[in-house]
């Protein structure tokens, strides 16, 4: 019998995009997740929209993109609670230091953090940031809390960073993120 070509078939993945340079790579991630058989929806933080437009994610996910908690139309149809319930997994990529801190401490002050708090689905975070931000004791303590609570952490990778320095902080490659997600 032929192997299943779609390892993520049947999964409903909510990709939450945060405001980092690596936000552009999240479009490739969404495309690859769809290619792997997943049904994908995208939510973005306000900062993420400074880096990539919602139109890009709408095109690659083939679905409307949620960009704010305060969307009367979306809340009338597929509200944030329904979206949080719909997901079989939430993937935060790239996960900024700011959003990781909020998730670690249970904040619900924007669409992405509210979705993450309102779900019972497992959480995957894919951190991406400057190496000093990543190595800061505050970020490391936040990561320890998230790991303790069962979050899957993919990356970051070591290597050249956008600001011209090098160190741990690069977003894991989209293909590596897809491969690391539980089938
Ligand atoms: C040009 C630029 C690049 C940034 N890149 C990152 C990044 O890669 N990782 C990160 O954690 N923060 C980065 N930041 C800072 C975040 O955008 C900022 O902390 C923001 O509040 C994050 O909001 P969010 O977590 O709601 O998306 C960057 C800011 C700027 C102006």
């Amino acid at each position: 019998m032929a192997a299943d070509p779609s390892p993520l078939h049947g999964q409903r993945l909510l990709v939450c995009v945060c405001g980092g340079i690596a936000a552009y790579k999240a479009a490739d991630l969404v495309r690859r997740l769809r290619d792997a058989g997943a049904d994908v929806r995208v939510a973005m933080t306000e900062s993420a929209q400074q880096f990539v437009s919602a139109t890009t994610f709408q095109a690659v996910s083939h679905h409307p993109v949620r960009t704010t908690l305060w969307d009367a139309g979306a809340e009338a149809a597929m509200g944030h609670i329904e979206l949080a319930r719909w997901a079989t997994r939430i993937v935060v990529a790239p996960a900024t230091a700011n959003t990781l801190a909020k998730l670690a401490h249970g904040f619900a002050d924007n669409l992405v953090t509210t979705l993450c708090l309102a779900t019972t689905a497992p959480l995957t975070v894919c951190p991406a940031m400057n190496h000093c931000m990543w190595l800061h004791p505050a970020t490391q303590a936040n990561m320890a809390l998230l790991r303790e609570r069962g979050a899957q952490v993919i990356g970051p990778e070591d290597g050249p960073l956008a600001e011209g320095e090098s160190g741990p902080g690069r977003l894991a490659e989209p293909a590596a993120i897809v491969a690391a997600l539980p089938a």
Side-chain angles (χ1 to χ4, degrees):
M1 206 167 79
D4 185 353
S6 304
L8 297 178
H9 181 80
Q11 294 215 24
R12 298 187 300 275
L13 301 179
L14 174 58
V15 175
C16 293
V17 184
C18 301
I21 294 283
Y24 76 95
K25 291 186 181 173
D28 185 35
L29 172 64
V30 169
R31 186 186 62 76
R32 287 171 183 273
L33 291 172
R34 275 183 50 89
D35 288 350
D39 191 358
V40 184
R41 302 285 191 280
V42 177
M44 304 174 75
T45 66
E46 277 197 23
S47 300
Q49 295 162 66
Q50 295 288 330
F51 293 89
V52 191
S53 92
T55 311
T56 299
F57 288 105
Q58 181 173 304
V60 289
S61 70
H62 298 202
H63 289 286
V65 171
R66 289 291 311 261
T67 54
T68 175
L69 201 46
W70 308 109
D71 179 333
E75 284 302 316
M78 192 183 195
H80 69 278
I81 295 292
E82 273 108 313
L83 190 54
R85 283 200 192 121
W86 170 85
T88 54
R89 175 172 293 275
I90 294 186
V91 181
V92 185
T96 53
N98 177 57
T99 292
L100 289 167
K102 290 182 183 179
L103 296 181
H105 294 280
F107 279 48
D109 66 341
N110 65 22
L111 174 66
V112 164
T113 53
T114 302
L115 286 166
C116 289
L117 203 62
T119 192
T120 54
L123 178 69
T124 296
V125 295
C126 308
M129 66 198 69
N130 165 272
H131 65 293
C132 294
M133 289 175 95
W134 173 249
L135 294 172
H136 194 286
T139 302
Q140 289 303 308
N142 291 331
M143 293 311 300
L145 273 175
L146 290 168
R147 283 198 179 93
E148 211 177 283
R149 225 179 277 145
Q152 179 190 23
V153 181
I154 304 176
E157 289 175 2
D158 212 310
L161 300 167
E163 60 275 20
E165 295 172 312
S166 193
R170 283 172 64 84
L171 181 72
E173 288 304 320
I177 296 173
V178 175
L181 289 174

